[in-house]
Amino acid sequence: MELYINSTWTERHGNAYVAEAITWSENGNHATIYTVGITAEEADAKLESALRELKLIPETSIKTSGSKEG
């Protein structure tokens, strides 16, 4: 499984910001995970928290801005 997170994917939609991560497997399955916040920072923090809860990223740190976590 590969997971792609990019802080530049956080976009404003109406009065909210949406942060997203994209993941896919070698079998061709893929999913987009997104969160919504009042600010871009809030949306990013919620996304990081959700990915940690799902055990898709380590508890200690996350790299953004075009990073690839696997």
Side-chain angles (χ1 to χ4, degrees):
M1 177 184 77
E2 296 201 33
L3 174 67
Y4 292 90
I5 306 164
N6 188 329
S7 62
T8 62
W9 294 341
T10 302
E11 297 179 359
R12 186 174 183 162
H13 295 278
N15 292 331
Y17 287 85
V18 177
E20 68 179 344
I22 301 170
T23 184
W24 63 83
S25 73
E26 291 124 12
N27 298 327
N29 297 318
H30 64 278
T32 301
I33 301 167
Y34 70 93
T35 57
V36 178
I38 295 173
T39 65
E41 293 79 16
E42 180 184 16
D44 289 339
K46 285 182 175 182
L47 180 62
E48 289 178 23
S49 178
L51 294 173
R52 282 191 193 98
E53 186 175 333
L54 294 168
K55 300 187 183 330
L56 294 173
I57 59 172
E59 289 290 326
T60 55
S61 68
I62 182 173
K63 294 180 182 178
T64 58
S65 299
S67 71
K68 180 172 102 174
E69 299 286 326

